[in-house]
Amino acid sequence: MFLLGFDLGSSSVKACLLNAETGTAVASAFFPETEMAIEAPQPGFAEQQPQLWWQNACRASKAVMQQAGVQPADVKAIGISYQMHGLVVVDKAFNVLRPSIIWCDSRAVPYGEKAFLSIGKDRSLNHLLNSPGNFTAAKLAWVKANEPGVYAEIDKFMLPGDYLAARMTGDTCTTPSGLSEGIFWDFLEARPAEFLMQYFGFDTSLIPTIKPTFAEQGRLTASAAAELGLAEGTPVTYRAGDQPNNALSLNVMEPGEIAATAGTSGVVYGVSAEAKPDPQSRVNTFLHVSHTAEAPRYGVLLCVNGTGILNSWLRNHLLRGGVSYGEMNEIAAHAPVGADGLVCLPFGNGAERVLENQDLGASFQGLQLTRHGLPHLVRSAQEGIVFALYYGIQVMESVGVGLKTIRAGEANMFLSPLFRDTFANLTGAVIQLYNTDGAQGAARGAGLGLGLFKTREEAFHGLKVVRTIEPDMRAQEGYREAYGRWLTALEAK
């Protein structure tokens, strides 16, 4: 008996086939092998073609089925994780009306900020727990104002995972957690935020059918099953944004538990029982996947857009793709802690929420041509990423999310010894790395949604700690001094 999870990212679509009885992954694949294109028709814009997501999901699905030699009928349920905050709009015939405006697109910032002021800070924070900022609702407002012909044709707006599920099942639906991440959810009323819809002039009919995170959300159509290499009628039983799902994949479900990831963007995500917003909306609060009315669970999310993408940029442009990421880590290790005074601000992938929606761009500061070389550039980039995350962690702590142990998958930037040591030594937190990823988490979520797993222990059978990084208190002073220089550079911007 098997479960299939998809993780729709901005770089690729990954699939994982999980043996439900042993709790272990038997096959995984991702496509494309090079990163998916992000189109930028104007500065600050970031778009992707939803059809590419579907094509790569089909390729990944067929690849894992072939790897494992599993029969389609043996796959009992499907789970979907997806890049958060994106916007997909379709007409009544389910035609995509324009490219998806994805998470790192900055064009909607003025629309969200105007809504925050017009609706009122207190009402926004009390009901939405966030400013509309640069989230999905503000992106839809941008379409309404700038592409009225497109807007007039919209039958439903969707998040990226809603689109992928609809391609599979023919049904357009969403979840409360998804609506909360798009800033469409009224936390006090526990329903879509009608006052926000009215402010923007959105008809509530644009909202897809709302279904629970863990529940049957449709079944594969014959045509979709053929394209995916699966069986017609296989149920989709779980759907969540990539960061709530990353937390689920790490068994981060209860207050005080913390998850982190450092792929294209970097995220620290903590679970709280208290709905407490940040007054400046630098960190954001959404419904966690484990939220219920009886036991409220909120996900407090810190996101830094420019993390792994900075490392990738250095590799592809400065190093011309001539070295591996592992070799980059070895190069960086030749520079001392603090990179001999070289400071990197790792932004440059759109407006940063932790900086109150400023887009500062990426920069290196204090470069000395007689002292600094390639090791200093690479090390300062990795340290700058950690420093940016730590800057946001301090905001998280101000809204009551404590930091003692951080769980992460052994992947992406957490494969770098320098990165994880800097993270542990600066924060003072123990870092536990697990043998999991977003696609595997989505597969476990599918088992929970199907009712195959009756308890949390059953769902996370097979999840193991593969590495633990303890902070070295003797090294903390050097990292704190380097962070102080970084903070001074940031505040001077």
Side-chain angles (χ1 to χ4, degrees):
M1 187 181 304
F2 297 89
L3 301 162
L4 180 60
F6 290 94
D7 185 14
L8 164 56
S10 48
S11 299
S12 65
V13 181
K14 186 171 186 178
C16 175
L17 197 61
L18 187 81
N19 184 316
E21 295 171 354
T22 64
T24 56
V26 296
S28 64
F30 66 90
F31 288 92
E33 294 179 357
T34 56
E35 295 180 359
M36 275 192 294
I38 297 177
E39 300 165 4
Q42 294 185 40
F45 284 27
E47 301 180 345
Q48 285 186 320
Q49 299 290 344
Q51 179 62 18
L52 284 178
W53 302 340
W54 175 247
Q55 291 170 357
N56 287 306
C58 291
R59 294 171 71 190
S61 177
K62 288 179 177 177
V64 295
M65 295 297 287
Q66 184 176 15
Q67 283 178 33
V70 170
Q71 295 301 309
D74 292 333
V75 177
K76 299 305 180 184
I78 296 167
I80 297 171
S81 166
Y82 59 89
Q83 50 173 293
M84 298 170 72
H85 317 311
L87 173 69
V88 181
V89 290
V90 299
D91 64 15
K92 290 183 183 296
F94 198 65
N95 297 307
V96 176
L97 296 170
R98 68 169 332 282
S100 173
I101 302 174
I102 66 170
W103 59 277
C104 55
D105 187 289
S106 303
R107 76 186 75 180
V109 169
Y111 296 84
E113 291 181 342
K114 183 179 178 182
F116 191 48
L117 294 174
S118 299
I119 292 169
K121 178 178 177 180
D122 289 343
R123 191 178 191 192
S124 289
L125 294 179
N126 288 335
H127 286 263
L128 305 173
L129 297 186
N130 305 280
S131 162
N134 192 38
F135 296 102
T136 312
K139 290 168 181 169
L140 184 58
W142 183 94
V143 173
K144 184 173 183 285
N146 293 274
E147 298 176 347
V150 170
Y151 184 83
E153 295 295 315
I154 297 175
D155 179 59
K156 293 288 184 288
F157 70 78
M158 292 181 287
L159 298 159
D162 300 338
Y163 170 81
L164 190 58
R167 281 298 301 260
M168 292 180 179
T169 66
D171 297 326
T172 53
C173 62
T174 192
T175 64
S177 178
L179 289 174
S180 77
E181 76 181 60
I183 318 301
F184 287 106
W185 191 254
D186 188 325
F187 285 79
L188 289 185
E189 300 292 334
R191 58 189 171 93
E194 291 183 5
F195 72 91
L196 182 76
M197 300 289 286
Q198 290 170 2
Y199 168 81
F200 281 129
F202 303 155
D203 194 289
T204 55
S205 67
L206 298 181
I207 302 174
T209 303
I210 302 171
K211 295 192 176 181
T213 296
F214 299 99
E216 184 173 314
Q217 301 168 1
R219 290 177 173 263
L220 291 189
T221 64
S223 60
E227 290 187 76
L228 291 161
L230 300 171
E232 179 182 358
T234 305
V236 176
T237 58
Y238 167 78
R239 183 183 329 175
D242 52 9
Q243 299 310 323
N245 176 75
N246 181 61
L248 175 132
S249 73
L250 294 161
N251 196 10
V252 170
M253 305 285 273
E254 299 299 332
E257 297 175 343
I258 304 287
T261 183
T264 301
S265 63
V267 171
V268 179
Y269 183 99
V271 179
S272 174
E274 184 181 3
K276 184 179 179 181
D278 170 36
Q280 294 161 270
S281 233
R282 295 163 298 174
V283 299
N284 303 103
T285 302
F286 310 117
L287 293 176
H288 190 38
V289 294
S290 56
H291 175 84
T292 64
E294 298 75 25
R297 297 292 181 265
Y298 305 96
V300 181
L301 184 149
L302 154 69
C303 179
V304 174
N305 294 350
T307 53
I309 193 171
L310 171 61
N311 216 33
S312 172
W313 186 91
L314 287 171
R315 177 176 178 267
N316 293 334
H317 295 280
L318 183 64
L319 299 172
R320 304 289 186 181
V323 301
S324 68
Y325 288 116
E327 289 169 330
M328 284 181 67
N329 297 334
E330 292 173 6
I331 290 169
H334 290 289
V337 172
D340 194 16
L342 183 62
V343 169
C344 176
L345 299 181
F347 311 111
N349 192 28
E352 296 282 1
R353 294 198 298 276
V354 74
L355 302 180
E356 299 181 59
N357 287 319
Q358 295 182 79
D359 187 352
L360 298 182
S363 62
F364 289 90
Q365 299 185 28
L367 179 64
Q368 296 292 326
L369 302 179
T370 56
R371 292 208 319 270
H372 295 144
L374 183 59
H376 300 87
L377 286 167
V378 180
R379 181 170 192 126
S380 69
Q382 291 204 21
E383 288 183 342
I385 293 165
V386 176
F387 295 161
L389 290 168
Y390 183 62
Y391 179 82
I393 285 169
Q394 292 178 302
V395 180
M396 293 180 72
E397 290 175 336
S398 75
V399 298
V401 178
L403 207 70
K404 293 183 179 178
T405 301
I406 300 171
R407 300 177 192 173
E410 191 178 38
N412 300 317
M413 295 294 294
F414 279 102
L415 291 171
S416 164
L418 188 154
F419 177 86
R420 59 198 188 215
D421 287 348
T422 302
F423 208 144
N425 291 332
L426 182 61
T427 63
V430 175
I431 298 174
Q432 294 177 336
L433 300 182
Y434 287 77
N435 61 335
T436 191
D437 58 25
Q440 187 181 140
R444 294 184 191 276
L448 286 164
L450 185 65
L452 181 63
F453 300 135
K454 304 301 182 185
T455 66
R456 184 172 170 180
E457 289 71 25
E458 285 184 18
F460 295 100
H461 177 60
L463 182 67
K464 299 184 185 301
V465 177
V466 295
R467 191 185 302 273
T468 299
I469 299 93
E470 300 274 356
D472 182 353
M473 297 307 175
R474 296 168 299 178
Q476 269 199 321
E477 183 177 350
Y479 287 102
R480 293 289 172 90
E481 288 178 358
Y483 174 71
R485 289 192 293 272
W486 182 91
L487 186 59
T488 299
L490 175 65
E491 291 174 342
K493 285 296 243 181

